[in-house]
Amino acid sequence: MVQLRARLQHPAAWWLWGLGLATAASRTTNPVLLILVIGVCVLVVSERRDPATVNPLPGFLAVGAVVVTLRIVVTAALGNGISGSTVLVTLPTVPLPEWAAGIRLGGPVTLESLLYALYDALRLAAILACLGAANALASPRRLLRYLPATLYDVGTAVVVGLTFAPQLLTDAREVRAARALRGRDGRGPREVARLAVPVLETAFERSLGLAASMESRGYGRAVTSTRTSRRAATGLALAGLVGVLAGLYGLLDASAGGLLGLPVLVVGALLAASSLVVGATRDSRSGHRRDRWTWTETVTVLAGAAPAAVLVVASAAGWTGVVPDQSAQLPAVPPLAVLAIVVAAVPAWVTPPPREAIP
């Protein structure tokens, strides 16, 4: 057996793996497959989590559980347009004005409508779990170093957004622990409200420190550029964005674009890539201690791409069980889809362990 030296994997490999799993989860509503995707995320994170960062996966799982619960409650109260023959309970009906025609409040709650809401919400929860796993396995700050110079500002905003919520949860736990040491009970809505001021103050101080650090390192410096290069980059970016949107719309709606959707999408992607190249020539950034890309990164990307490819083909071909019917019976599970999702768990054993995980 090959002995892997402890190191952190390339962040792009983990994020491509997570996006592949998220793509697979977005193509199915089978609860067995979606729960299997969540289980793979939990397994890989437990084995290969970046120890230098806070584990955000539990927070993403909690948000997913809240989404599933709210979706079921809202469906039971308001309905979702899915009619069924199996009535579980009949809620008191509240009459609504004429302008709210088509909306009901109360009435019969059917098993089929609840299962539809559960399957659809579980798909969103699985996608959130994939994003949480990518956050836990590779810090977005590490991934920011590999973005093109043109997208550096946008990437900074995305990184701040991805790390803000987990950091707020960490600050809230620290403040609650400090209040508990002083004899304060951290339960109740009043005590929770009292956490807001110290938590927000800590976030504000961290923002000031980050701004000072970025300014001292020359962030936001003026770059050498001409009006022609700026106009060329902007024009290519706009044309590429229009092409990508038109191509995606053509692929999603055959009546709108048909077979022209894919070529338009490719042309739009090429124009957008050209805008990145033109913009990158105006701002060169040096790299320090770049992460290596070895065979383990390639295996990780392929392991995430396998379920994405299988589920995309299965969804397009209409395999049985990929989008199951809303019935009381356990939906059929495609064996090849299960095998592809299980393959996504391979990085838990073939990738190098983090440095701090070695005794």
Side-chain angles (χ1 to χ4, degrees), residues 211-222:
S213 174
M214 294 169 68
E215 184 178 1
S216 65
R217 288 170 172 80
Y219 184 84
R221 67 192 183 279

Side-chain angles (χ1 to χ4, degrees), residues 30 309-324 332-338 340:
N30 192 308
V310 171
L311 265 301
V312 167
V313 172
S315 177
W319 289 7
T320 303
V322 175
V323 182
V333 182
L336 186 57
V338 174

Side-chain angles (χ1 to χ4, degrees), residues 242-283:
V242 172
V244 169
L245 293 177
L248 289 176
Y249 184 74
L251 290 177
L252 295 175
D253 188 359
S255 62
L259 297 177
L260 293 177
L262 183 58
V264 174
L265 177 62
V266 172
V267 172
L270 291 177
L271 291 176
S274 300
S275 69
L276 297 180
V277 174
V278 173
T281 57
R282 297 183 288 125
D283 186 10

Side-chain angles (χ1 to χ4, degrees), residues 130-187:
C130 296
L131 295 179
N135 269 277
L137 294 166
S139 172
R141 295 181 181 178
R142 294 178 55 214
L143 185 63
L144 180 63
R145 295 184 296 176
Y146 299 94
L147 284 179
T150 311
L151 297 178
Y152 194 76
D153 294 344
V154 178
T156 302
V158 173
V159 168
V160 171
L162 289 174
T163 57
F164 181 72
Q167 192 61 48
L168 275 185
L169 294 176
T170 303
D171 294 340
R173 284 195 294 264
E174 293 177 354
V175 173
R176 179 175 293 181
R179 291 179 63 83
L181 292 175
R182 294 179 175 88
R184 297 282 187 176
D185 187 8
R187 302 176 182 177

Side-chain angles (χ1 to χ4, degrees), residues 106-139:
V109 180
T110 62
L111 175 64
E112 290 78 7
S113 63
L114 291 182
L115 287 178
Y116 177 84
L118 174 63
Y119 293 171
D120 197 48
L122 192 60
R123 175 168 57 180
L124 179 56
I127 295 175
L128 290 175
C130 296
L131 295 179
N135 269 277
L137 294 166
S139 172

